[in-house]
Amino acid sequence: MTAVLWVAATGSIAASREIVRLFLLAILFLVIKVLFIKDMPSPTASGAIVMANGIFINGAIIAFPLLNNLSRAFTLVLFLLFLFIAASYLMDMAQGRIAERHFANPVGRFAVGTWIAGTSVCGVALCQRLPEWKPLVQVMVLGNLGLWLYFACQAMGSFIEFFHAETRHKVHGVLFLSTVSTQSLVIVWKAAFGDSSMYRTVAPWAILLGVVFYIVSFYLIARRYAGERGDFDLDRDWYNTNCITHGAMSITGLASIVCGVIPPSLTLMVWLWVIAWFVIIELFEIARAIKRVRMYGPADGLLVYDPTQWSRNFTFGMLYAFNMNFDPSPSVAPGSLLLSLHQTIHDYFAWIVLGLLLLEIVVFLRDRLSPVTAAPGSIS
């Protein structure tokens, strides 16, 4: 299928070596899936798997020369993940179940943003590591734009509902995927089509729309938690997706840098917001992890798989990617503590990104290779 798409998009087979590798990897993936991995449809949030692995390839991998030397192979694997997950959604569409499974829930439909962001992150990786595949990426981006238009309409309908309906009590960080998906298009469009006067005109407005989505999401989530007061339970009411509070602004900052027309002072403000909310959110995450270990033990407390966990990996990787591309020196006094913080993140944070990614891969394989059971400490 990839070869057919490639020939249709470019009229050539210049990248035949990569296509052969991709074909062989696809066979290997298929054998592993059939023989060892449980057969189940991909949950709506599974696009976060591509997001998390892709942002590592696009960012933190450069801190590890050995892994970076294998980046073309990792990009092929990422593309295969993208195809396998997309195939599951296409199967739902062919069977007429896509609306019921992925768009019926006004909160859950925001997870469709992982499809858009995952496609964007995969597209950027292909442009960076396999630039000869850029025509194929351009086809992906145009399709992604169409999906985003539908998703944005659905998201705005949900936003309106949350201001009035009882579903407002169920909102959480998944809403921020409206921002993530929007800003991801700004980034991948430049990677696929390059810079132009039209792009530099439209990109800031797209970023602004993403910020509007962020403000509305932040208000709705803050109102939900403020209304719970004494009823809040850290295990029951805290969601993995809440880490997108800082991840959505990290990608906003990266999009601002990529488009090249946002003042550095505004980007600095975004960076400071990201750092502040990273600390706040991760303190909640640590407290929740401690509570879960006490309640369920280390294995069932921390190693129970849920697709939303990949959002945490994505937000950590996005923070590193934003920090890597952001130069605060024009807006910060020499010798400032902020410059030291920026350098510290650049020097050491990649190890945290890699460690958490490897851990999540182990948790994923532990779940997919084991019999279907209901774990007592299921994470959402």
Side-chain angles (χ1 to χ4, degrees), residues 104-163:
N105 187 308
V107 177
R109 69 174 57 137
F110 280 86
V112 173
T114 65
W115 305 2
I116 300 163
T119 303
S120 297
V121 171
C122 183
V124 171
L126 289 170
C127 287
Q128 290 180 350
R129 308 298 180 176
L130 296 166
E132 61 272 21
W133 288 44
K134 188 171 290 188
L136 178 60
V137 177
Q138 292 172 347
V139 175
M140 292 168 57
V141 172
L142 293 175
N144 207 25
L145 178 60
L147 176 60
W148 176 84
L149 289 171
Y150 180 76
F151 168 74
C153 291
Q154 293 286 318
M156 286 187 280
S158 289
F159 281 141
I160 294 172
E161 178 179 335
F162 296 150
F163 277 96

Side-chain angles (χ1 to χ4, degrees), residues 14-321:
S16 58
R17 180 181 299 178
E18 279 74 19
I19 291 177
V20 170
R21 290 177 179 173
L22 188 67
F23 180 73
L24 294 176
L25 283 171
I27 293 176
L28 178 61
F29 268 50
L30 190 59
V31 170
I32 293 173
K33 177 177 175 57
V34 170
L35 295 181
F36 302 107
I37 296 180
K38 291 180 289 192
D39 185 21
M40 59 179 65
S42 295
T44 311
S46 292
I49 300 174
V50 180
M51 293 166 58
N53 288 277
I55 196 60
F56 177 76
I57 294 172
N58 296 340
I61 196 173
I62 67 168
F64 308 97
L66 179 61
L67 296 179
N68 196 35
N69 290 336
L70 300 172
S71 60
R72 286 173 67 92
F74 288 146
T75 302
L76 289 175
V77 173
L78 178 72
F79 187 50
L80 271 180
L81 285 173
F82 166 79
L83 291 178
F84 270 73
I85 293 171
S88 178
Y89 300 141
L90 290 174
M91 183 67 68
D92 289 338
M93 181 182 295
Q95 296 173 351
R97 298 180 299 187
I98 189 124
E100 175 189 353
R101 285 188 173 179
H102 304 293
F103 288 96
N105 187 308
V107 177
R109 69 174 57 137
F110 280 86
V112 173
T114 65
W115 305 2
I116 300 163
T119 303
S120 297
V121 171
C122 183
V124 171
L126 289 170
C127 287
Q128 290 180 350
R129 308 298 180 176
L130 296 166
E132 61 272 21
W133 288 44
K134 188 171 290 188
L136 178 60
V137 177
Q138 292 172 347
V139 175
M140 292 168 57
V141 172
L142 293 175
N144 207 25
L145 178 60
L147 176 60
W148 176 84
L149 289 171
Y150 180 76
F151 168 74
C153 291
Q154 293 286 318
M156 286 187 280
S158 289
F159 281 141
I160 294 172
E161 178 179 335
F162 296 150
F163 277 96
H164 308 288
E166 283 300 310
T167 48
R168 68 181 182 272
H169 300 299
K170 300 179 180 180
V171 299
H172 52 87
V174 72
L175 271 60
F176 289 122
L177 285 169
S178 57
T179 296
V180 173
S181 59
T182 304
Q183 315 300 29
S184 75
L185 285 174
V186 175
I187 297 170
V188 74
W189 188 276
K190 186 171 183 179
F193 294 99
D195 203 356
S196 67
S197 58
M198 185 185 74
Y199 171 81
R200 294 171 69 84
T201 300
V202 173
W205 292 103
I207 292 173
L208 179 60
L209 177 60
V211 172
V212 171
F213 284 157
Y214 185 91
I215 293 171
V216 174
S217 300
F218 190 93
Y219 168 76
L220 290 168
I221 296 168
R223 186 180 70 168
R224 175 253 169 104
Y225 282 117
E228 290 187 349
R229 297 187 178 92
D231 295 331
F232 175 76
D233 180 84
L234 193 56
D235 177 48
R236 182 191 66 235
D237 299 317
W238 186 263
Y239 291 81
N240 297 318
T241 54
N242 287 345
C243 63
I244 312 178
T245 304
H246 57 82
M249 288 308 285
S250 287
I251 195 171
T252 298
L254 183 59
S256 301
I257 295 169
V258 167
C259 79
V261 295
I262 306 298
S265 57
L266 288 180
T267 308
L268 175 63
M269 292 176 61
V270 172
W271 185 77
L272 291 173
W273 177 272
V274 169
I275 298 301
W277 278 100
F278 175 82
V279 173
I280 294 170
I281 295 297
E282 296 314 316
L283 286 175
F284 275 97
E285 292 270 280
I286 292 171
R288 184 192 186 209
I290 293 172
K291 181 174 183 177
R292 288 183 60 83
V293 169
R294 289 174 177 172
M295 292 174 62
Y296 309 114
D300 290 332
L302 300 180
L303 302 180
V304 178
Y305 175 72
D306 188 276
T308 60
Q309 293 163 355
W310 292 102
S311 62
R312 182 182 299 110
N313 296 93
F314 173 75
T315 59
F316 275 61
M318 184 53 70
L319 171 57
Y320 184 86

